[in-house]
Amino acid sequence: MSGTMETIGFIGIGNMGSPMALNLSKAGFPVVVYDVNTAKAVKFAADNGVSAASGLADLGARCSIVVTMLPDGHVVRKVMLGAADDGLAAHLKPGALVIDMSSADPIGTRELGGMLKGKSIDLIDAPVSGGVARAHDGTLTIMVGGDEPAAIERAKPVLAGMGKQIFETGPLGSGHAMKALNNYVAAAGFAAASEALIVGERFGLDQGIMVDIMRTSTGRNFATDVTLKPHVVEGAFASGFALALLAKDVKIAADLAEGLSLDMPLARTTSKMWLTARDDLEQGVDNTAAYKAWKARASR
């Protein structure tokens, strides 16, 4: 069966990318991995029975479909185009398909799509939601944007190897817009719940009981159901998604609203809260650690 399946190049072997690439292999796809950390990619390949590319030129020569799972759209563009049009796109064959599963600025995605189209390469954006746990389970929610229906149909078997719910959101960039807006809603919920815990603790309420009440009441959201108890109340602060990445996503949502000439004060305020928390804390901390920054500021 695998002999009839297209070879998938997977770029970005991080907390999310590693299980996603592994699930593609389990689904029967030949997988070639690449990461800027060459040792990580080589080890992942050896541990999981897939192949590691020696570089972008090698990956481009071997793969007809490429999945990117990178920190942001700027990194995706650098990988694709390089410093002087010497990136991956220069090594892909005409007719190749790039599936960008990173979180990125939707306007930048549309611009990159136009550049790749000039090289006879199709681009779709297919960011994910569900976190590390669902990346491992292969049950991610995937939001797909693209201008070419045939490219989306071609991508669907690949996406089905990593996700359970696949939504077509519209033209190129719409997946990235939806991902940013979804993460804005999640971030606003976490921020509101965090402030409630800070106030409640100062008043004398037990934070564990507060979470139990909120998760069975009208204040229920993803934060109350999943992250607050283990990562804030119990102090793990290790959900697997970096604070800087979530702050970036919320800013994309706020900037999108501004770019559309929409006055969205909550989006602006939420973005400012997350950017401030990012700047207050050390680099690389988990997004749930934002609670620490907000608590410290609340007592000033």
Side-chain angles (χ1 to χ4, degrees), residues 188-231:
F190 181 87
S194 293
E195 289 191 340
L197 290 184
I198 293 166
V199 174
E201 183 182 52
R202 175 67 65 88
F203 187 75
L205 291 170
D206 180 278
Q207 290 191 330
I209 294 175
M210 289 183 68
V211 174
D212 289 339
I213 292 171
M214 285 189 285
R215 64 167 41 144
T216 58
S217 302
T218 54
R220 183 181 183 187
N221 59 29
F222 182 83
T224 63
D225 281 358
V226 178
T227 54
L228 285 181
K229 200 59 139 337
H231 300 294

Side-chain angles (χ1 to χ4, degrees), residues 170-190:
L172 186 66
S174 63
H176 282 149
M178 185 65 240
K179 170 63 183 289
L181 293 168
N182 175 75
N183 277 13
Y184 153 59
V185 172
F190 181 87

Side-chain angles (χ1 to χ4, degrees), residues 2 5-11 13 17-34 41 44-46 48-53 59 62-63 65-67 158 162:
S2 63
M5 303 177 86
E6 295 189 78
T7 299
I8 311 299
F10 200 103
I11 303 177
I13 307 301
S18 294
M20 291 165 67
L22 180 56
N23 282 332
L24 285 176
S25 178
K26 289 178 178 178
F29 289 97
V31 175
V32 180
V33 298
Y34 175 82
F44 176 85
N48 296 289
V50 301
S51 178
L59 185 138
R62 297 164 65 183
C63 302
I65 297 179
V66 175
V67 174
V158 179
M162 298 175 283

Side-chain angles (χ1 to χ4, degrees), residues 61-276:
R62 297 164 65 183
C63 302
S64 54
I65 297 179
V66 175
V67 174
T68 55
M69 192 62 180
L70 297 167
D72 58 44
H74 298 292
V75 179
V76 174
R77 181 176 296 210
K78 182 178 180 181
V79 167
M80 287 297 143
L81 302 179
D85 203 24
D86 59 351
L88 175 62
H91 305 288
L92 288 170
K93 297 180 178 66
L97 171 63
V98 175
I99 306 173
D100 182 18
M101 305 190 78
S102 318
S103 295
D105 168 38
I107 304 303
T109 297
R110 289 180 176 178
E111 292 173 353
L112 178 61
M115 295 175 189
L116 294 181
K117 196 66 178 175
K119 302 174 183 293
S120 299
I121 298 168
D122 285 320
L123 173 68
I124 66 172
D125 52 314
V128 306
S129 183
V132 174
R134 286 173 59 188
H136 280 277
D137 293 343
T139 60
L140 292 165
T141 294
I142 304 177
M143 299 147 261
V144 186
D147 294 332
E148 300 293 336
I152 293 175
E153 289 302 311
R154 182 181 174 190
K156 281 183 178 178
V158 179
L159 301 176
M162 298 175 283
K164 184 176 182 180
Q165 300 285 344
I166 300 173
F167 294 94
E168 294 185 44
T169 53
L172 186 66
S174 63
H176 282 149
M178 185 65 240
K179 170 63 183 289
L181 293 168
N182 175 75
N183 277 13
Y184 153 59
V185 172
F190 181 87
S194 293
E195 289 191 340
L197 290 184
I198 293 166
V199 174
E201 183 182 52
R202 175 67 65 88
F203 187 75
L205 291 170
D206 180 278
Q207 290 191 330
I209 294 175
M210 289 183 68
V211 174
D212 289 339
I213 292 171
M214 285 189 285
R215 64 167 41 144
T216 58
S217 302
T218 54
R220 183 181 183 187
N221 59 29
F222 182 83
T224 63
D225 281 358
V226 178
T227 54
L228 285 181
K229 200 59 139 337
H231 300 294
V232 174
V233 177
E234 297 173 7
F237 298 107
S239 72
F241 187 43
L243 190 160
L245 294 180
L246 185 52
K248 177 254 307 180
D249 288 350
V250 179
K251 186 176 186 302
I252 288 174
D255 288 349
L256 180 61
E258 183 178 346
L260 295 170
S261 300
L262 295 170
D263 182 20
M264 295 291 162
L266 183 57
R268 289 198 307 270
T269 299
T270 303
S271 179
K272 183 178 178 180
M273 286 182 68
W274 283 93
L275 292 171
T276 298

